[in-house]
Amino acid sequence: MTRCLIAGCGYVGSALAALLRDAGHDVHGLKRRPVGLPEGVAPLAADLADASSLGAALATLPSSLDVVVYTAAADGGDDEAYRRAYVAGQRNLVAALRARGAAPACLLFTSSTAVYAQDDGSWVDETSPTEPRDFRGTRMLEAEAVAASSGWPAASLRLGGIYGPGRTRLIDSVRSGRAVIHPGPPRYGNRIHRDDAAGALAHLIASALAGHALAPRYLGVDDEPSDEAAVLRWLASALGVAKPPVRAERGVRARSGGRTASNKRCSNALLRASGYAFRYPTFRDGYAALIAATSR
């Protein structure tokens, strides 16, 4: 039986845990307070940033782990929170597992498209320059380097904006009439449904276990980078409400639904070429499912 550890088993990690469990794997979910894990997933309680508590938790695991997935999320929006969650936490985990003699077939890290600074609507892929403009992207690149230097086969999945069950902020903003469209040229955002983020990880795990070499990194986004204004207008039509008004906001970068808009188009061609088939290939597919679920 394949043994899997999901460290930071939260929003995406729990969805992945359920997929791996259903595939017949032995799955352990590690988080500070391991409540709400899918049934059949063994809980482990530890703070990844606390090497002592992490070591104690891992002592209950067999050393013969086959898969390690690092899906932790920062508990704050500042640089220190990012460093602690993504860099120090993963470094602690790798060190603790190596001390136990673990030699997994793969280590996967959920990174972010924040590593890219491109802001002119251009296309980016895994070979594009990574020159992040703030600490978020910088810390993600540091964390990717931790995974790559682990000594195990490793890959990073650079996820776009994650939406899905329980994350309906954009839908809610349009439904309530709070959303505003800002004038100007298109500003492209990149998204992925939670179930596809988990599905892509499960796919990469299956590939690694089958003996296929993984690329060092993949872009985890859907097929269609989309202008934020077009998304808001489509949501209004799907919800049967008035379209958000166009309103300029002086001195503030264009926003939609309260979130600073991106302006790059990320390509998922490499992930597609690896054989992954998206459940929700566009925002229309994903949001239509969420609207249907929230309208019941």
Side-chain angles (χ1 to χ4, degrees):
M1 179 180 290
T2 302
R3 294 187 175 94
C4 307
L5 171 64
I6 302 175
C9 195
Y11 188 61
V12 172
S14 289
L16 172 62
L19 292 177
L20 296 177
R21 175 206 60 197
D22 292 347
H25 300 313
D26 178 23
V27 186
H28 299 259
L30 186 151
K31 56 194 300 189
R32 288 182 194 171
R33 292 173 291 279
V35 296
L37 295 177
E39 184 177 353
V41 174
L44 290 174
D47 182 346
L48 288 159
D50 181 347
S52 176
S53 76
L54 182 59
L58 295 180
T60 65
L61 275 179
S63 60
S64 54
L65 281 174
D66 301 290
V67 174
V68 176
V69 188
Y70 197 89
T71 59
D75 59 6
D78 60 5
D79 184 26
E80 176 55 25
Y82 269 62
R83 185 201 64 79
R84 186 170 59 246
Y86 300 113
V87 182
Q90 188 176 199
R91 188 175 287 137
N92 288 342
L93 180 67
V94 170
L97 290 176
R98 289 183 66 85
R100 289 183 51 75
C106 71
L107 165 63
L108 297 181
F109 168 62
T110 51
S111 185
S112 167
T113 56
V115 299
Y116 299 106
Q118 290 83 341
D119 195 32
D120 57 358
S122 59
W123 282 93
V124 300
D125 62 18
E126 291 79 3
T127 66
S128 299
T130 52
E131 299 170 345
R133 292 180 176 174
D134 64 21
F135 67 84
R136 296 168 182 84
T138 299
R139 294 304 183 188
M140 287 297 183
L141 286 179
E142 289 180 24
E144 288 185 13
V146 171
S149 64
S150 66
W152 308 321
S156 295
L157 181 64
R158 292 173 174 170
L159 296 171
I162 303 168
Y163 70 101
R167 291 194 179 183
T168 56
R169 173 194 54 79
L170 211 58
I171 292 174
D172 297 338
S173 71
V174 173
R175 181 181 274 139
S176 67
R178 290 182 288 105
V180 175
I181 293 173
H182 297 273
R187 294 193 66 88
Y188 293 97
N190 303 272
R191 295 177 176 78
I192 188 167
H193 191 285
R194 179 206 64 183
D195 293 351
D196 277 316
L201 290 167
H203 163 73
L204 294 175
I205 289 168
S207 296
L209 293 175
H212 302 299
L214 300 181
R217 59 198 65 87
Y218 296 86
L219 275 168
V221 296
D222 67 21
D223 290 350
E224 191 177 316
S226 303
D227 174 23
E228 299 288 342
V231 175
L232 292 174
R233 291 188 176 105
W234 183 91
L235 283 172
S237 178
L239 291 165
V241 301
K243 292 182 180 179
V246 177
R247 185 180 304 156
E249 192 171 357
R250 297 177 64 185
V252 179
R253 194 178 173 199
R255 293 176 182 266
S256 55
R259 182 175 184 175
T260 301
S262 173
N263 195 23
K264 56 181 174 283
R265 289 179 279 184
C266 297
S267 169
N268 66 10
L270 183 61
L271 183 59
R272 279 283 194 184
S274 75
Y276 182 64
F278 279 77
R279 182 175 177 183
Y280 302 106
T282 73
F283 74 86
R284 290 178 293 276
D285 303 300
Y287 279 124
L290 285 178
I291 290 170
T294 57
S295 299
R296 292 171 189 162

